[in-house]
Amino acid sequence: SAAAVLTKPAFRKIEWLPVEASNRLDYVTDGKVDAVCGTTTITLSRMKKVDFSLPIYVDGGSVLVRAKSKLARLADLKDKRIAVIGGTTTEEDLVSGLNALGVTAVLVPVKNGAEGMAMLTKGTVDAYAADRVVLAYLKLRAPDPKAYKFVTGDFSLQPFGLPVIPWPKFCP
């Protein structure tokens, strides 16, 4: 039973390990972690590698810009530089959203949110694209939260779940 499994000593100790978007699924498939607690979008291609919990949150891909800019909507990003974590569903969905509007922009790959916000703050990029909840957190934690604003509208819908080791490996 689940109760019998979850009361074993191995399940009473929790060890937290940092992961990045680039390695989080590999950590699960390689057995380095049993689950990833974060903003991971449930997709069919990812379900080929890992199992997922039920959806825990639904968010949208959005864009943060400097408040003093005249950028107000996704279409205003034509020919602008947009930071985004490379190799993510956010990057894929951003490209699709821009293409649907006939907008071309320069995507600047970043490793994580801190790097994206640093580039936005310095003016190295015109915008930073990520999950709205992540952008809201980064905006609120910034030294001057009022220095940033969201463009109107999200470019995607992101159902989040916890990637977990496939069931047969979890409970043989």
Side-chain angles (χ1 to χ4, degrees):
S1 75
V5 171
L6 295 176
T7 57
K8 289 183 178 181
F11 285 95
R12 290 188 215 144
K13 180 181 177 225
I14 296 175
E15 180 182 353
W16 299 96
L17 300 174
V19 298
E20 296 286 343
S22 62
N23 65 16
R24 61 189 168 191
L25 296 182
D26 292 334
Y27 270 44
V28 174
T29 58
D30 294 346
K32 293 179 182 175
V33 299
D34 297 316
V36 174
C37 301
T39 54
T40 305
T41 305
I42 301 169
T43 66
L44 292 175
S45 61
R46 289 176 173 170
M47 291 173 81
K48 292 178 183 176
K49 294 179 75 173
V50 298
D51 284 347
F52 278 91
S53 68
L54 293 172
I56 58 169
Y57 187 76
V58 177
D59 197 10
S62 195
V63 178
L64 199 62
V65 297
R66 289 182 302 282
K68 292 181 180 179
S69 77
K70 294 183 180 182
L71 305 172
R73 53 197 180 106
L74 205 55
D76 295 337
L77 298 173
K78 181 177 170 60
D79 299 326
K80 301 296 183 191
R81 294 175 51 84
I82 307 169
V84 63
I85 297 175
T88 61
T89 56
T90 301
E91 180 185 37
E92 293 171 16
D93 292 340
L94 175 62
V95 169
S96 295
L98 292 171
N99 287 343
L101 295 171
V103 172
T104 56
V106 176
L107 299 188
V108 179
V110 295
K111 183 178 176 183
N112 55 41
E115 184 180 358
M117 279 299 286
M119 292 179 82
L120 179 59
T121 301
K122 290 178 187 172
T124 310
V125 296
D126 303 291
Y128 174 49
D131 300 320
R132 182 173 276 272
V133 68
V134 172
L135 293 174
Y137 172 80
L138 292 170
K139 180 181 185 293
L140 289 172
R141 301 278 302 184
D144 182 11
K146 292 181 181 178
Y148 306 96
K149 67 180 180 180
F150 285 95
V151 298
T152 301
D154 292 340
F155 56 82
S156 67
L157 180 70
Q158 306 283 348
F160 295 149
L162 304 181
V164 297
I165 56 178
W167 182 249
K169 289 183 183 177
F170 176 70
C171 187

